[in-house]
Amino acid sequence: MKDLKLINKGQEILKITLINLALLLVFLELGSLGWYFVKHKQFFYTREKVQDKSALGINLEGVRLNQSIVERFHPFFGFIQKPSADFRPGFKVNNYGFISPYDYPFKKFKKNQFVIGIFGGSVASDFSIFQIQNKILPKYLKQVPGLQDKEFIILSFATGGYKRSRIRSSSQYRWL
């Protein structure tokens, strides 16, 4: 008999809880509609949709809303950045989506130029940017016989993200 009273009491509490939850949702919706009407002098569900995007308060000029603003998918390189300025002085995101001072394909404009390509992920990209800024690798390469009079051009073909690293271990590759 006690179990029947507990079950009936539990069902009664559940009904009261559900009714209160439904009333809360109704009053929240009505309150939101009232606030929107006071602020905009129209009901939310019957409002006229804004065609002028400048009324949104952000500059959307030249932005395609169905595409990523920063990145795009390249069939050979994976996700790359769209060509734009970079925050580092002297660098830009070039026409192939790599952070470099040069557009690709790079054409030597002096006979003594020695071109170095750096390939890889984010570490290689940071390495190439560091080398272009600080010129440490060219300083060591100038010590090699035959390279003393060369001008070194470092091209970055590295981009970070969306890849897995490989570690070579006893003639097997393990994916991290």
Side-chain angles (χ1 to χ4, degrees), residues 129-157:
I129 291 167
F130 180 80
Q131 290 302 325
I132 292 169
Q133 288 175 333
N134 299 307
K135 298 178 179 24
I136 294 172
L137 181 63
K139 183 172 64 173
Y140 284 104
L141 288 175
K142 284 189 181 280
Q143 297 173 2
V144 175
L147 298 179
Q148 293 89 357
D149 62 339
K150 298 291 183 182
E151 177 188 350
F152 293 96
I153 304 293
I154 297 175
L155 302 179
S156 175
F157 295 95

Side-chain angles (χ1 to χ4, degrees), residues 8-22:
N8 286 339
K9 197 170 193 177
Q11 288 177 345
E12 192 174 312
I13 290 173
L14 183 62
K15 284 181 190 176
I16 291 172
T17 303
L18 290 175
I19 290 171
N20 283 330
L21 186 60

Side-chain angles (χ1 to χ4, degrees), residues 55-153:
L56 295 175
I58 55 176
N59 181 13
L60 295 176
E61 186 176 333
V63 174
R64 295 182 184 151
L65 297 177
N66 59 348
Q67 293 182 356
S68 170
I69 296 172
V70 178
E71 295 177 330
R72 61 183 174 180
F73 185 74
H74 190 279
F76 302 126
F77 306 127
F79 285 97
I80 59 170
Q81 296 181 16
K82 290 186 178 183
S84 63
D86 191 60
F87 64 91
R88 293 168 277 256
F91 288 90
K92 64 181 177 180
V93 178
N94 68 11
N95 58 335
Y96 278 76
F98 299 109
I99 299 172
S100 174
Y102 310 103
D103 279 331
Y104 300 151
F106 177 79
K107 293 181 183 168
K108 294 183 354 178
F109 50 91
K110 293 180 186 174
K111 196 162 182 81
N112 72 334
Q113 287 181 325
F114 190 86
V115 178
I116 300 170
I118 298 177
F119 298 84
S122 57
V123 174
S125 178
D126 291 342
F127 176 76
S128 66
I129 291 167
F130 180 80
Q131 290 302 325
I132 292 169
Q133 288 175 333
N134 299 307
K135 298 178 179 24
I136 294 172
L137 181 63
K139 183 172 64 173
Y140 284 104
L141 288 175
K142 284 189 181 280
Q143 297 173 2
V144 175
L147 298 179
Q148 293 89 357
D149 62 339
K150 298 291 183 182
E151 177 188 350
F152 293 96
I153 304 293

